């Protein structure tokens, strides 16, 4: 087991439409390894997750709100998917600013499924190779990514920051494994 005691991870979500396992699995995994994971939602009320973009999932209590969070306090950003979540998140100026902050300062970002829409909106995929839910491939290519690939997980360390991307909840084991790898290789953010 990896020990990430003292490591600080930020997950950004909307309050409705997050794909349940894409939020819950990485958060519980990282917390189980000792990391402090902060869930920042748009509003200070329970996050209603969905399963398969349609069936109600677990309600998750956020730690704080996106507009109140200080991105500089965290060393990795987690962006779960869910079509409704990701579509709303990319229109949230505070969320987009957080994505830009992580990329600009070289801190890792992990995005799964539709989560990379926020990366496209923040204009931080140029020159990167990444994956996502297949319907985002054209958006990602149009945002000047070097390529979109159909693989369970992709780690691209080019262009200033490590980016981990995955396609669907079926890829969560590979996604969390790559998150562990990147966190293990990073020095702790002060």
């Amino acid at each position: 087991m990896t020990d990430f005691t003292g490591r600080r991870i930020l997950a950004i979500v909307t309050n409705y439409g997050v794909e349940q396992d894409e939020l819950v699995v990485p958060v519980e995994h990282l917390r189980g390894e000792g990391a402090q994971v902060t869930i920042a939602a748009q509003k200070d009320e329970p996050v209603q997750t969905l399963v398969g973009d349609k069936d109600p999932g677990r309600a998750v209590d956020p730690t704080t709100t996106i507009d109140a969070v200080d991105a500089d306090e965290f060393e990795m950003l987690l962006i779960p998917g869910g079509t409704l979540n990701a579509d709303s998140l990319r229109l949230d100026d505070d969320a987009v600013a957080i994505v830009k902050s992580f990329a600009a300062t070289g801190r890792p970002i992990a995005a799964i499924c539709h989560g990379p829409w926020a990366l496209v909106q923040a204009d931080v995929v140029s020159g990167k190779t990444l994956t996502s839910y297949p319907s985002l491939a054209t958006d990602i290519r149009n945002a000047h990514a070097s390529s979109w690939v159909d693989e369970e997980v992709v780690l691209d360390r080019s262009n200033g920051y490590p980016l981990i991307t995955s396609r669907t909840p079926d890829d969560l084991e590979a996604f969390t494994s790559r998150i562990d790898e990147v966190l293990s290789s990073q020095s702790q953010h002060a």
Side-chain angles (χ1 to χ4, degrees):
M1 181 173 153
T2 312
D3 183 5
F4 292 138
T5 301
R7 308 302 290 269
R8 298 184 52 141
I9 316 300
L10 175 63
I12 56 172
V13 295
T14 59
N15 290 86
Y16 181 81
V18 181
E19 184 66 29
Q20 174 185 275
D21 287 353
E22 292 171 4
L23 173 62
V24 172
V25 170
V27 166
E28 289 180 351
H29 171 81
L30 288 161
R31 286 178 175 165
E33 293 177 331
Q36 180 184 340
V37 183
T38 296
I39 299 172
Q42 288 178 315
K43 295 179 274 196
D44 187 17
E45 56 190 49
V47 173
Q48 179 58 60
T49 68
L50 295 177
V51 177
D53 270 339
K54 61 185 182 331
D55 299 320
R58 287 171 41 185
V60 176
D61 290 326
T63 317
T64 187
T65 56
I66 291 172
D67 63 350
V69 78
D70 180 357
D72 292 338
E73 294 180 1
F74 301 91
E75 57 192 288
M76 178 179 271
L77 178 62
L78 172 66
I79 309 172
T83 309
L84 297 172
N85 169 67
D87 193 44
S88 296
L89 202 60
R90 68 179 170 161
L91 299 177
D92 184 309
D93 291 340
D94 293 318
V96 172
I98 289 169
V99 174
K100 287 180 179 183
S101 169
F102 272 82
T105 55
R107 291 173 288 158
I109 299 174
I112 186 167
C113 199
H114 288 80
W117 261 341
L119 305 170
V120 168
Q121 190 70 32
D123 195 24
V124 298
V125 299
S126 183
K128 294 271 196 193
T129 295
L130 58 157
T131 192
S132 65
Y133 193 76
S135 65
L136 276 66
T138 300
D139 293 339
I140 288 167
R141 287 186 191 107
N142 288 343
H144 308 292
S146 70
S147 64
W148 180 91
V149 295
D150 187 12
E151 296 176 13
E152 66 180 359
V153 66
V154 174
L155 169 58
D156 186 320
R157 294 181 182 272
S158 69
N159 295 342
Y161 73 99
L163 175 62
I164 305 160
T165 51
S166 257
R167 301 172 301 195
T168 70
D170 293 340
D171 302 323
L172 278 164
E173 187 175 333
F175 185 62
T176 56
S177 176
R178 203 50 56 97
I179 289 171
D180 288 353
E181 176 188 324
V182 170
L183 272 177
S184 295
S185 70
Q186 298 279 118
S187 59
Q188 208 162 330
H189 180 68

